[in-house]
Short mmCIF file of all heavy atoms in Angstrom, two decimals:
data_model
loop_
_atom_site.label_atom_id
_atom_site.label_comp_id
_atom_site.label_asym_id
_atom_site.label_seq_id
_atom_site.Cartn_x
_atom_site.Cartn_y
_atom_site.Cartn_z
N PRO U 1 0.81 -1.22 0.00
CA PRO U 1 0.00 0.00 0.00
C PRO U 1 0.84 1.27 0.00
O PRO U 1 0.34 2.35 -0.33
CB PRO U 1 -0.82 -0.12 1.30
CG PRO U 1 -0.05 -1.07 2.16
CD PRO U 1 0.62 -2.02 1.23
N LYS U 2 2.11 1.17 0.35
CA LYS U 2 2.99 2.34 0.35
C LYS U 2 3.46 2.73 -1.04
O LYS U 2 3.88 3.87 -1.27
CB LYS U 2 4.24 2.06 1.20
CG LYS U 2 4.04 2.08 2.70
CD LYS U 2 5.40 1.94 3.37
CE LYS U 2 5.28 1.99 4.88
NZ LYS U 2 6.63 1.89 5.53
N ALA U 3 3.44 1.77 -1.97
CA ALA U 3 4.07 2.00 -3.26
C ALA U 3 3.40 3.14 -4.03
O ALA U 3 2.17 3.23 -4.08
CB ALA U 3 4.02 0.71 -4.09
N ILE U 4 4.23 3.98 -4.63
CA ILE U 4 3.70 5.04 -5.49
C ILE U 4 3.62 4.51 -6.92
O ILE U 4 4.39 3.63 -7.31
CB ILE U 4 4.59 6.29 -5.45
CG1 ILE U 4 5.99 5.99 -6.02
CG2 ILE U 4 4.68 6.87 -4.04
CD1 ILE U 4 6.80 7.21 -6.37
N PRO U 5 2.69 5.01 -7.74
CA PRO U 5 2.68 4.61 -9.15
C PRO U 5 3.88 5.19 -9.87
O PRO U 5 4.37 6.28 -9.53
CB PRO U 5 1.37 5.22 -9.67
CG PRO U 5 1.06 6.33 -8.75
CD PRO U 5 1.60 5.94 -7.42
N VAL U 6 4.38 4.46 -10.85
CA VAL U 6 5.58 4.90 -11.55
C VAL U 6 5.38 6.26 -12.21
O VAL U 6 6.34 7.05 -12.36
CB VAL U 6 6.02 3.82 -12.57
CG1 VAL U 6 5.03 3.70 -13.71
CG2 VAL U 6 7.43 4.10 -13.08
N GLN U 7 4.13 6.59 -12.56
CA GLN U 7 3.86 7.88 -13.17
C GLN U 7 4.15 9.05 -12.23
O GLN U 7 4.33 10.18 -12.67
CB GLN U 7 2.39 7.96 -13.63
CG GLN U 7 2.03 6.97 -14.72
CD GLN U 7 1.50 5.66 -14.17
OE1 GLN U 7 1.86 5.25 -13.06
NE2 GLN U 7 0.65 4.98 -14.94
N ALA U 8 4.18 8.77 -10.92
CA ALA U 8 4.43 9.83 -9.93
C ALA U 8 5.89 9.89 -9.51
O ALA U 8 6.24 10.68 -8.62
CB ALA U 8 3.55 9.60 -8.70
N LEU U 9 6.77 9.11 -10.14
CA LEU U 9 8.15 9.03 -9.68
C LEU U 9 8.89 10.36 -9.83
O LEU U 9 9.63 10.77 -8.93
CB LEU U 9 8.90 7.93 -10.42
CG LEU U 9 10.38 7.75 -10.05
CD1 LEU U 9 10.55 7.54 -8.55
CD2 LEU U 9 10.99 6.59 -10.82
N ALA U 10 8.73 11.03 -10.96
CA ALA U 10 9.45 12.29 -11.16
C ALA U 10 9.07 13.31 -10.10
O ALA U 10 9.93 13.97 -9.50
CB ALA U 10 9.17 12.83 -12.56
N GLU U 11 7.78 13.44 -9.85
CA GLU U 11 7.31 14.37 -8.82
C GLU U 11 7.82 13.97 -7.43
O GLU U 11 8.23 14.81 -6.63
CB GLU U 11 5.79 14.40 -8.83
CG GLU U 11 5.17 15.31 -7.79
CD GLU U 11 3.65 15.25 -7.81
OE1 GLU U 11 3.08 14.61 -8.71
OE2 GLU U 11 3.04 15.84 -6.90
N THR U 12 7.81 12.66 -7.16
CA THR U 12 8.29 12.17 -5.87
C THR U 12 9.79 12.44 -5.70
O THR U 12 10.26 12.82 -4.62
CB THR U 12 8.00 10.67 -5.73
OG1 THR U 12 6.59 10.46 -5.85
CG2 THR U 12 8.49 10.13 -4.41
N ALA U 13 10.55 12.25 -6.78
CA ALA U 13 12.00 12.52 -6.73
C ALA U 13 12.26 13.99 -6.40
O ALA U 13 13.19 14.30 -5.63
CB ALA U 13 12.65 12.13 -8.05
N GLU U 14 11.48 14.88 -6.97
CA GLU U 14 11.62 16.30 -6.66
C GLU U 14 11.40 16.55 -5.17
O GLU U 14 12.13 17.33 -4.54
CB GLU U 14 10.64 17.13 -7.48
CG GLU U 14 10.99 17.25 -8.95
CD GLU U 14 10.01 18.15 -9.69
OE1 GLU U 14 8.84 17.74 -9.84
OE2 GLU U 14 10.42 19.26 -10.09
N ALA U 15 10.40 15.90 -4.60
CA ALA U 15 10.09 16.09 -3.19
C ALA U 15 11.23 15.58 -2.30
O ALA U 15 11.60 16.22 -1.30
CB ALA U 15 8.79 15.38 -2.84
N TYR U 16 11.81 14.43 -2.66
CA TYR U 16 12.94 13.91 -1.89
C TYR U 16 14.16 14.82 -2.04
O TYR U 16 14.91 15.04 -1.08
CB TYR U 16 13.28 12.49 -2.32
CG TYR U 16 12.46 11.43 -1.62
CD1 TYR U 16 11.35 10.85 -2.23
CD2 TYR U 16 12.81 10.99 -0.35
CE1 TYR U 16 10.61 9.87 -1.59
CE2 TYR U 16 12.07 10.01 0.30
CZ TYR U 16 10.97 9.45 -0.33
OH TYR U 16 10.24 8.48 0.32
N GLN U 17 14.37 15.34 -3.25
CA GLN U 17 15.51 16.23 -3.45
C GLN U 17 15.43 17.46 -2.55
O GLN U 17 16.43 17.89 -1.97
CB GLN U 17 15.59 16.66 -4.91
CG GLN U 17 16.82 17.53 -5.21
CD GLN U 17 16.72 18.26 -6.53
OE1 GLN U 17 15.65 18.77 -6.89
NE2 GLN U 17 17.81 18.29 -7.28
N LYS U 18 14.24 17.99 -2.39
CA LYS U 18 14.06 19.17 -1.54
C LYS U 18 14.41 18.88 -0.08
O LYS U 18 14.77 19.79 0.66
CB LYS U 18 12.63 19.68 -1.65
CG LYS U 18 12.32 20.33 -3.00
CD LYS U 18 10.86 20.74 -3.11
CE LYS U 18 10.58 21.35 -4.48
NZ LYS U 18 9.15 21.68 -4.64
N LEU U 19 14.32 17.60 0.31
CA LEU U 19 14.67 17.21 1.68
C LEU U 19 16.17 16.91 1.82
O LEU U 19 16.64 16.66 2.93
CB LEU U 19 13.87 15.97 2.09
CG LEU U 19 12.36 16.16 2.22
CD1 LEU U 19 11.70 14.82 2.55
CD2 LEU U 19 12.01 17.19 3.28
N GLY U 20 16.89 16.92 0.70
CA GLY U 20 18.33 16.68 0.75
C GLY U 20 18.75 15.28 0.39
O GLY U 20 19.92 14.91 0.56
N VAL U 21 17.83 14.46 -0.12
CA VAL U 21 18.17 13.10 -0.53
C VAL U 21 18.89 13.16 -1.88
O VAL U 21 18.45 13.86 -2.79
CB VAL U 21 16.91 12.21 -0.62
CG1 VAL U 21 17.24 10.84 -1.21
CG2 VAL U 21 16.29 12.05 0.77
N ASN U 22 20.00 12.40 -2.00
CA ASN U 22 20.82 12.42 -3.21
C ASN U 22 20.53 11.26 -4.16
O ASN U 22 20.89 11.32 -5.34
CB ASN U 22 22.31 12.35 -2.84
CG ASN U 22 22.71 13.32 -1.77
OD1 ASN U 22 22.85 12.92 -0.62
ND2 ASN U 22 22.89 14.58 -2.11
N HIS U 23 19.94 10.17 -3.63
CA HIS U 23 19.89 8.93 -4.40
C HIS U 23 18.66 8.15 -3.95
O HIS U 23 18.53 7.83 -2.76
CB HIS U 23 21.16 8.14 -4.12
CG HIS U 23 21.48 7.04 -5.07
ND1 HIS U 23 22.76 6.60 -5.31
CD2 HIS U 23 20.70 6.24 -5.86
CE1 HIS U 23 22.75 5.60 -6.19
NE2 HIS U 23 21.50 5.37 -6.53
N LEU U 24 17.75 7.85 -4.88
CA LEU U 24 16.60 7.01 -4.59
C LEU U 24 16.89 5.59 -5.07
O LEU U 24 17.32 5.39 -6.21
CB LEU U 24 15.35 7.53 -5.28
CG LEU U 24 14.72 8.81 -4.73
CD1 LEU U 24 13.47 9.16 -5.53
CD2 LEU U 24 14.38 8.68 -3.25
N ILE U 25 16.64 4.63 -4.21
CA ILE U 25 16.82 3.22 -4.55
C ILE U 25 15.44 2.58 -4.54
O ILE U 25 14.77 2.55 -3.52
CB ILE U 25 17.76 2.54 -3.56
CG1 ILE U 25 19.15 3.20 -3.64
CG2 ILE U 25 17.86 1.04 -3.85
CD1 ILE U 25 20.05 2.89 -2.49
N ILE U 26 15.02 2.11 -5.70
CA ILE U 26 13.63 1.71 -5.92
C ILE U 26 13.48 0.20 -5.87
O ILE U 26 14.23 -0.54 -6.53
CB ILE U 26 13.12 2.25 -7.27
CG1 ILE U 26 13.10 3.78 -7.23
CG2 ILE U 26 11.74 1.69 -7.61
CD1 ILE U 26 12.86 4.42 -8.58
N SER U 27 12.50 -0.25 -5.10
CA SER U 27 12.07 -1.64 -5.16
C SER U 27 10.84 -1.69 -6.06
O SER U 27 9.77 -1.22 -5.67
CB SER U 27 11.74 -2.16 -3.76
OG SER U 27 11.32 -3.50 -3.81
N PRO U 28 10.97 -2.24 -7.27
CA PRO U 28 9.87 -2.19 -8.23
C PRO U 28 8.81 -3.26 -7.95
O PRO U 28 9.13 -4.35 -7.51
CB PRO U 28 10.53 -2.46 -9.59
CG PRO U 28 12.01 -2.49 -9.32
CD PRO U 28 12.18 -2.82 -7.88
N GLU U 29 7.57 -2.92 -8.24
CA GLU U 29 6.46 -3.87 -8.17
C GLU U 29 5.72 -3.83 -9.51
O GLU U 29 5.14 -2.81 -9.84
CB GLU U 29 5.50 -3.49 -7.03
CG GLU U 29 6.12 -3.55 -5.66
CD GLU U 29 5.15 -3.16 -4.56
OE1 GLU U 29 3.98 -2.81 -4.86
OE2 GLU U 29 5.53 -3.21 -3.39
N PRO U 30 5.75 -4.94 -10.28
CA PRO U 30 6.50 -6.18 -10.05
C PRO U 30 7.96 -6.03 -10.45
O PRO U 30 8.34 -5.04 -11.07
CB PRO U 30 5.79 -7.18 -10.96
CG PRO U 30 5.33 -6.33 -12.12
CD PRO U 30 4.92 -5.01 -11.51
N MET U 31 8.76 -7.03 -10.13
CA MET U 31 10.20 -7.01 -10.40
C MET U 31 10.44 -7.60 -11.79
O MET U 31 10.72 -8.79 -11.95
CB MET U 31 10.94 -7.83 -9.35
CG MET U 31 12.44 -7.73 -9.42
SD MET U 31 13.12 -6.23 -8.68
CE MET U 31 12.80 -6.52 -6.94
N THR U 32 10.29 -6.78 -12.83
CA THR U 32 10.42 -7.24 -14.21
C THR U 32 11.24 -6.24 -15.01
O THR U 32 11.34 -5.06 -14.64
CB THR U 32 9.05 -7.37 -14.89
OG1 THR U 32 8.46 -6.06 -15.00
CG2 THR U 32 8.12 -8.29 -14.10
N PRO U 33 11.84 -6.67 -16.14
CA PRO U 33 12.53 -5.71 -17.00
C PRO U 33 11.62 -4.57 -17.47
O PRO U 33 12.08 -3.43 -17.61
CB PRO U 33 12.99 -6.59 -18.18
CG PRO U 33 13.16 -7.95 -17.58
CD PRO U 33 12.05 -8.06 -16.58
N ARG U 34 10.34 -4.87 -17.68
CA ARG U 34 9.41 -3.81 -18.09
C ARG U 34 9.27 -2.75 -17.00
O ARG U 34 9.23 -1.56 -17.29
CB ARG U 34 8.04 -4.40 -18.45
CG ARG U 34 6.99 -3.36 -18.82
CD ARG U 34 7.45 -2.45 -19.95
NE ARG U 34 6.48 -1.40 -20.26
CZ ARG U 34 6.78 -0.23 -20.82
NH1 ARG U 34 8.04 0.04 -21.16
NH2 ARG U 34 5.84 0.65 -21.07
N SER U 35 9.23 -3.16 -15.74
CA SER U 35 9.19 -2.19 -14.65
C SER U 35 10.42 -1.30 -14.66
O SER U 35 10.34 -0.09 -14.42
CB SER U 35 9.08 -2.91 -13.31
OG SER U 35 7.85 -3.59 -13.19
N ILE U 36 11.58 -1.91 -14.91
CA ILE U 36 12.82 -1.14 -14.97
C ILE U 36 12.76 -0.13 -16.11
O ILE U 36 13.20 1.02 -15.97
CB ILE U 36 14.03 -2.07 -15.13
CG1 ILE U 36 14.07 -3.12 -14.01
CG2 ILE U 36 15.32 -1.27 -15.16
CD1 ILE U 36 14.07 -2.56 -12.62
N GLU U 37 12.23 -0.54 -17.23
CA GLU U 37 12.09 0.39 -18.37
C GLU U 37 11.19 1.56 -18.01
O GLU U 37 11.47 2.72 -18.36
CB GLU U 37 11.53 -0.37 -19.58
CG GLU U 37 12.51 -1.38 -20.17
CD GLU U 37 11.83 -2.32 -21.16
OE1 GLU U 37 10.63 -2.10 -21.46
OE2 GLU U 37 12.49 -3.28 -21.61
N ARG U 38 10.09 1.29 -17.30
CA ARG U 38 9.18 2.36 -16.90
C ARG U 38 9.87 3.34 -15.94
O ARG U 38 9.68 4.55 -16.00
CB ARG U 38 7.92 1.78 -16.24
CG ARG U 38 7.03 0.94 -17.15
CD ARG U 38 6.34 1.77 -18.22
NE ARG U 38 5.56 2.89 -17.70
CZ ARG U 38 4.29 2.80 -17.27
NH1 ARG U 38 3.68 1.62 -17.25
NH2 ARG U 38 3.63 3.86 -16.85
#
């Protein structure tokens, strides 16, 4: 239930950057090459 949709990743990255985070490490759901492409 915590997972964000991949379409919101860019916006979410901006929010983390504002907090001082340098690197996001993503656990994809599901764990497939297509998820990595997205």
Side-chain angles (χ1 to χ4, degrees):
K2 286 186 178 181
I4 64 164
V6 68
Q7 296 91 332
L9 179 55
E11 179 182 353
T12 301
E14 287 183 292
Y16 275 99
Q17 183 195 41
K18 289 176 181 177
L19 294 176
V21 173
N22 312 101
H23 196 153
L24 288 181
I25 298 164
I26 295 170
S27 180
E29 297 180 358
M31 187 80 70
T32 65
R34 177 55 183 155
S35 294
I36 304 304
E37 292 167 6
R38 295 291 305 275

